[in-house]
Amino acid sequence: PETITVQELANRMAERGGNVIKTLMKLGVMATINQVIDADTAELVVEEFGHKIKRVSDADVEIGLVAGPDSDAEKSTRPPVVTVMGHVDHGKTSLLDAMRESDVVSGEAGGITQHIGAYQVKLATGARITFIDTPGHAAFTAMRARGAEVTDIVVLVVAANDGIMPQTIEAIRHAQAAKVPMIVAINKIDLPEADTQKVRTELLQHEVVVEEMGGDVQTVEVSAKKRMNLERLEEAILLQAELLDLKANENRAAEGAVIEAKMERGRGSVATVLIQRGTLRVGDTFVCGKEWGRVRALDNERGERLEEAGPATPVEVLGFNGTPEAGDDFIVVEDEAKAREVSGYRQRKDRETQFVKSARGSMEQMFERI
Ligand code: GDP
Ligand code: MG
């Protein structure tokens, strides 16, 4: 059933909440400002105020929020977004750190100064690669569970001395389920006990057919520790990206997904957003999950202020009215009214879902006791 809170109804009519409550009393309905009333009651109140009624169904609020697909002519090539996965201690963090050092920009500017959950490296050739800096499949699945599909390529790290382990298999399953192409980085080849051939054979048992065995999965033998073959891995990523023909329209309102979000003292709610299409600018009004806001500032991983951020760029956004969650969508809207409408609708819907869940929970508890 369609519902609305008294506050929201007052907002939409641009009337005082107190006057709405009074009108409700006149109609024989006792309600507080945060109370939810049904659409029929709301309609009576609107008539009492002499406003025109325009019933907007729930779905209408979301319709058109995300624009349709861009035409090929509007799109241009964008950098790939890469997630590193693999078994614990196989070298995910070491590899991410090693790749980060190949960034020519941070080399000049004094390195990456803050962790924002994702970063972009610019290679000597000018090519760029975006890495999600929260390795592990937990983050990957959490994002996917919320409908965010940000990863273009998975780099599966397998230690050559250890081979395929349980979390390697899980990572393979996740990449396969998400239909995201994989590149295998066979790590720790500096160790004497490294057996890269064994890794390739074991992969075959999990339906990962590497190029050397007639398949199309690239493998690169690396050592994160000794910084061996990192360029080759980057080349493999860029080759895969070329095959995927990754493109986005940068000349439109920005859309993206939250990589991570937190509440920071002095800065308020901040979130790292990966822009997926369009360009985000300071001053833009946005909806993000159940929250909304207006971009007050944009920071990159080097702590530099940006005026704008385009496709595949991870950027820390300030100006949220509440803290979103990883995997939430991020959509620039035309004005504050639209942002409030969507966020209000989503919060209401969320409350209803929570209510149903807790009601169901207590029913189950009741039955348990019987
Ligand atoms: P993660 O759990 O997958 O993030 O793995 P880490 O990056 O934390 O690495 C686990 C251990 O392996 C650390 O002690 C690293 O120093 C070591 N390590 C990572 N890469 C290499 C490598 O290429 N060669 C060797 N010998 N050790 C490595
Ligand atoms: Mg790690």
Side-chain angles (χ1 to χ4, degrees):
E2 291 171 56
T3 59
I4 189 167
T5 64
V6 174
Q7 179 71 69
E8 182 67 21
L9 182 61
N11 289 350
R12 292 208 200 162
M13 294 190 298
E15 299 284 353
R16 286 170 174 276
N19 290 340
V20 175
I21 291 175
K22 274 187 213 150
T23 305
L24 278 163
M25 276 166 75
K26 243 174 42 186
L27 296 166
V29 180
M30 297 295 164
T32 61
I33 193 79
N34 292 317
Q35 199 151 324
V36 176
I37 57 172
D38 62 63
D40 293 334
T41 309
E43 214 169 285
L44 291 175
V45 174
V46 175
E47 277 169 0
E48 282 291 315
F49 277 95
H51 290 296
K52 253 194 19 214
I53 298 156
K54 193 178 117 210
R55 267 222 210 176
V56 184
S57 87
D58 282 358
D60 290 346
V61 176
E62 298 275 356
I63 284 171
L65 191 59
V66 172
D70 298 299
S71 72
D72 278 344
E74 295 170 311
K75 294 195 268 192
S76 49
T77 303
R78 63 162 177 85
V81 179
V82 176
T83 295
V84 174
M85 295 203 268
H87 195 71
V88 65
D89 282 345
H90 279 199
K92 298 179 294 292
T93 303
S94 306
L95 198 59
L96 277 165
D97 287 347
M99 305 265 245
R100 184 159 22 200
E101 278 168 40
S102 62
D103 183 20
V104 291
V105 184
S106 67
E108 287 161 13
I112 286 160
T113 55
Q114 54 179 1
H115 169 90
I116 66 167
Y119 62 87
Q120 195 175 66
V121 296
K122 189 174 177 192
L123 307 175
T125 58
R128 291 177 296 156
I129 303 173
T130 300
F131 289 97
I132 304 294
D133 194 10
T134 44
H137 56 251
F140 183 79
T141 42
M143 300 272 292
R144 277 197 74 221
R146 302 187 71 81
E149 308 213 327
V150 300
T151 304
D152 300 308
I153 299 166
V154 164
V155 168
L156 179 72
V157 184
V158 186
N161 60 329
D162 225 10
I164 307 295
M165 297 298 277
Q167 286 170 299
T168 319
I169 299 167
E170 274 179 45
I172 291 170
R173 296 269 175 275
H174 288 308
Q176 286 169 338
K179 296 192 171 62
V180 175
M182 229 169 1
I183 295 171
V184 182
I186 306 179
N187 192 29
K188 308 199 185 185
I189 58 160
D190 57 293
L191 294 175
E193 62 269 35
D195 188 348
T196 57
Q197 201 46 42
K198 185 162 159 272
V199 172
R200 292 193 178 87
T201 316
E202 285 177 346
L203 283 168
L204 201 55
Q205 294 165 10
H206 299 279
E207 287 113 60
V208 180
V209 191
V210 303
E211 282 180 338
E212 292 84 346
M213 300 203 159
D216 54 11
V217 176
Q218 301 184 77
T219 61
V220 187
E221 299 182 2
V222 298
S223 166
K225 194 175 185 174
K226 296 274 159 70
R227 303 187 54 80
M228 287 164 68
N229 293 346
L230 297 179
E231 298 75 23
R232 267 197 224 165
L233 179 56
E234 287 160 354
E235 277 164 25
I237 292 169
L238 293 172
L239 176 63
Q240 184 67 62
E242 217 167 290
L243 293 172
L244 291 171
D245 194 26
L246 302 170
K247 287 184 168 165
N249 177 4
E250 55 183 24
N251 301 311
R252 47 161 295 120
E255 287 169 18
V258 174
I259 303 297
E260 56 178 50
K262 53 184 181 284
M263 181 65 192
E264 271 184 29
R265 215 195 304 168
R267 297 213 301 167
S269 295
V270 292
T272 298
V273 175
L274 180 80
I275 307 301
Q276 293 177 294
R277 60 172 177 167
T279 299
L280 182 65
R281 295 193 173 81
V282 173
D284 283 349
T285 300
F286 61 83
V287 168
C288 183
K290 302 192 295 284
E291 311 299 337
W292 70 278
R294 188 166 176 271
V295 180
R296 199 167 72 227
L298 296 169
D299 288 345
N300 67 11
E301 66 270 19
R302 290 182 291 278
E304 296 162 344
R305 280 280 143 100
L306 305 177
E307 278 305 310
E308 55 176 46
T313 308
V315 69
E316 198 177 44
V317 178
L318 278 77
F320 280 82
N321 288 326
T323 312
E325 288 175 70
D328 275 346
D329 59 352
F330 181 98
I331 305 160
V332 167
V333 294
E334 57 270 25
D335 54 28
E336 197 177 305
K338 182 68 185 170
R340 282 181 187 276
E341 183 190 20
V342 176
S343 138
Y345 162 65
R346 289 180 174 185
Q347 294 198 358
R348 229 179 313 135
K349 223 175 116 174
D350 186 61
R351 273 199 299 271
E352 278 166 20
T353 313
Q354 297 300 333
F355 179 74
V356 169
K357 265 194 208 151
S358 66
R360 194 179 294 147
S362 53
M363 282 284 270
E364 277 162 11
Q365 272 178 7
M366 235 166 75
F367 284 118
E368 263 169 31
R369 272 190 247 119
I370 289 169

